[in-house]
Amino acid sequence: LYKAHEKRFRLRVMIIDPNGQSEMDVLAARVKLRGIDRARAVGHVTASLENICRMKRNVDTALRAAARNGDSPGAVDLQIRLYSFLPFGPIYKIGEEVMFIGFYLSHVSSVDGPMIEVRKEACPDLWHIFDEDFHRGWEGSIPYFPKARERRK
């Protein structure tokens, strides 16, 4: 993605809150039939958060290097929020045109589960349903990345 000429990517990612234990422990419910305990699930989620942030740093480094070489750099705007409600499945929204929608299955991580691509132009009705679901979840989630001081810059 970062090699695309003069592109801006606006990525919004919601991930289960690994530390959230509200009235309903969503994380424990997600892994109940997967044969792993909550502590191991917390490790998986934390590793995913760290990996996404590391990839963002790597892309930023590559974009800065491209700019120094005279290339027209792109830009990646990444925001991550942590949720503590029970969603349909993971939704990865890229800009305002593409979403990847996953399914939460009882026996497997969403990383290894099925995912569909929804394009706004090709499937406007389906896009609207998932966009509304994403928006409501986004508004009800806790900001994780960028940190508050980074958002003010």
Side-chain angles (χ1 to χ4, degrees), residues 42-53:
V42 166
H44 290 173
V45 172
T46 302
S48 291
L49 288 165
E50 291 168 357
N51 285 337
I52 291 170
C53 292

Side-chain angles (χ1 to χ4, degrees), residues 30-69:
R30 272 286 296 127
V31 299
K32 181 178 180 180
L33 299 179
R34 287 178 35 204
I36 64 173
D37 63 19
R38 189 180 200 294
R40 186 168 169 205
V42 166
H44 290 173
V45 172
T46 302
S48 291
L49 288 165
E50 291 168 357
N51 285 337
I52 291 170
C53 292
R54 179 184 43 76
M55 286 187 286
K56 164 74 165 116
R57 287 189 301 273
N58 291 345
V59 168
D60 287 346
T61 299
L63 290 173
R64 283 191 299 274
R68 284 192 300 272
N69 292 332

Side-chain angles (χ1 to χ4, degrees), residues 36-142:
I36 64 173
D37 63 19
R38 189 180 200 294
R40 186 168 169 205
V42 166
H44 290 173
V45 172
T46 302
S48 291
L49 288 165
E50 291 168 357
N51 285 337
I52 291 170
C53 292
R54 179 184 43 76
M55 286 187 286
K56 164 74 165 116
R57 287 189 301 273
N58 291 345
V59 168
D60 287 346
T61 299
L63 290 173
R64 283 191 299 274
R68 284 192 300 272
N69 292 332
D71 292 338
S72 179
V76 176
D77 172 17
L78 170 67
Q79 290 184 24
I80 301 172
R81 291 197 178 186
L82 304 177
Y83 67 82
S84 60
F85 57 90
L86 192 58
F88 171 81
I91 299 175
Y92 299 91
K93 188 173 182 186
I94 304 172
E96 293 300 322
E97 299 299 321
V98 179
M99 278 189 268
F100 290 93
I101 315 300
F103 299 90
Y104 285 141
L105 304 176
S106 61
H107 68 286
V108 66
S109 167
S110 63
V111 172
D112 297 319
M115 188 162 275
I116 60 171
E117 178 180 349
V118 177
R119 293 191 171 266
K120 186 176 187 176
E121 188 175 302
C123 302
D125 292 340
L126 191 57
W127 171 274
H128 178 72
I129 290 168
F130 284 116
D131 189 50
E132 179 68 20
D133 187 61
F134 185 88
H135 177 72
R136 288 175 184 233
W138 187 260
E139 292 303 314
S141 298
I142 302 166

